[in-house]
Amino acid sequence: MIIVIAGQDEESKVYFTEHVFLEHHLEPWCPKKGPVRHFMELVCVGLSKNPYITVQMKLEHINWFHNYFEEKKQILQDTGAIPALSHKQETDHENITS
């Protein structure tokens, strides 16, 4: 029995390294250390082991978490889960995400 996954023809042209090495997608926005970073590293490991979804779907999962943590930034800063940014760092961060 062969299971055909939607978009499998396109996905067969994608190198396996794009499916497996996902952490570089965290660099522009994820803290370098702490609970959010640890959680996102685990997300990347889980996604890298899933052969049933496309690279694009994996990136959408990562971006969903990015948006979620961005919406919860104040709570995360208040609880110490992520460091509070100085005004200069916030300006730099806004320039990167824009």
Side-chain angles (χ1 to χ4, degrees), residues 7-15:
Q8 191 173 19
D9 291 337
E10 289 295 317
E11 208 59 25
S12 67
K13 299 173 188 170
V14 176
Y15 289 110

Side-chain angles (χ1 to χ4, degrees), residues 31-91:
K32 301 292 182 212
K33 59 183 180 177
V36 173
R37 180 61 176 221
H38 184 73
F39 175 80
M40 287 309 301
E41 287 172 349
L42 293 174
V43 168
C44 288
V45 169
L47 290 172
S48 73
K49 293 182 178 204
N50 188 337
Y52 301 108
I53 61 175
T54 65
V55 170
Q56 183 60 39
M57 291 170 72
K58 292 176 182 188
L59 295 179
E60 288 172 4
H61 276 76
I62 291 170
N63 287 328
W64 185 90
F65 281 110
H66 174 207
N67 293 335
Y68 176 81
F69 288 128
E70 193 64 34
E71 289 175 9
K72 305 296 182 189
K73 184 192 300 189
Q74 190 59 52
I75 294 170
L76 294 168
Q77 287 175 343
D78 292 346
T79 59
I82 62 173
L85 298 175
S86 69
H87 179 67
K88 181 184 180 329
Q89 289 173 320
E90 284 179 5
T91 305

